[in-house]
Amino acid sequence: IVSLDTTVDTTNDAINENQCVLSLPHGYFPGARGGHLTALSWDKTGRRLATCIASGRVVLWTIVQEENDGYIFLKPSCVAILNGGHDPGRPLFGAKYCGGTDERILLTWGTDGKLCAWDSCSSGENQAPMCTLVTLENYPIYTLDITSNTGATKHHIALGGGSDAGFLGVPAYIYDVSRE
């Protein structure tokens, strides 16, 4: 996983690129080759990043900018590994920060047909989500979106995916979510 940050040299308008490599913790894939990145999601501040792994895990990062001799560097830190909400070994296809102005909730979805809600401010290894919002048998979830009306008491979540297309295509599911 590579993230690029840029600094501008105002003396000659040149842009210098710096790379930041996010490395998974030692022993993350014990006895296995590992997995690949399937999705990622920034929070709205640009300081937190959720990365989905094909193993069914989510890794939460904080990204801090540091300045040294006029250059800005990105300093990533792995803060949490979310494991246990989804079926092991089933790829995740996305994560999305939501839940108010501080985005305390992280939604994750994948090929197991589950939509899980996690505490986005978790630290360490977390073995269970706050709850599983949806479980759809034989319906892998490939995409999700949620309305983000500020101050609204009701939001809508739309899910898309499926494994079989019928005469009318693959169904999309829309759910109402209330803050009450």
Side-chain angles (χ1 to χ4, degrees):
I1 304 167
V2 177
S3 175
L4 297 177
D5 189 27
T6 59
T7 57
V8 178
D9 181 352
T10 56
T11 58
N12 61 9
D13 294 328
I15 295 178
N16 301 310
E17 293 183 358
N18 299 306
Q19 291 186 4
C20 165
V21 177
L22 302 177
S23 299
L24 294 172
H26 180 70
Y28 181 73
F29 295 112
R33 270 187 35 176
H36 57 276
L37 176 70
T38 56
L40 52 86
S41 178
W42 289 102
D43 77 340
K44 65 183 172 187
T45 68
R47 290 187 210 112
R48 296 187 299 163
L49 179 67
T51 56
C52 298
I53 310 296
S55 66
R57 296 176 178 164
V58 179
V59 180
L60 301 182
W61 305 85
T62 58
I63 312 293
V64 178
Q65 288 187 357
E66 293 184 353
E67 187 174 344
N68 187 4
D69 292 331
Y71 291 97
I72 298 174
F73 298 94
L74 296 178
K75 182 180 179 185
S77 296
C78 174
V79 294
I81 297 173
L82 309 180
N83 184 29
H86 293 275
D87 295 347
R90 302 282 304 272
L92 299 182
F93 283 116
K96 186 166 184 91
Y97 286 93
C98 62
T101 56
D102 58 355
E103 296 181 309
R104 290 282 311 198
I105 298 172
L106 181 73
L107 299 177
T108 59
W109 60 92
T111 61
D112 60 2
K114 293 180 183 176
L115 173 60
C116 295
W118 302 85
D119 178 354
S120 69
C121 297
S122 294
S123 62
E125 189 153 354
N126 191 336
Q127 295 296 327
M130 294 187 301
C131 66
T132 300
L133 297 171
V134 174
T135 300
L136 299 169
E137 296 293 324
N138 300 317
Y139 187 88
I141 301 170
Y142 297 119
T143 187
L144 173 142
D145 203 6
I146 184 170
T147 58
S148 58
N149 301 337
T150 305
T153 58
K154 185 177 268 191
H155 296 278
H156 310 288
I157 296 176
L159 304 175
S163 56
D164 296 323
F167 177 72
L168 296 176
V170 177
Y173 292 88
I174 300 175
Y175 298 92
D176 289 330
V177 180
S178 177
R179 288 182 20 185
E180 298 172 0

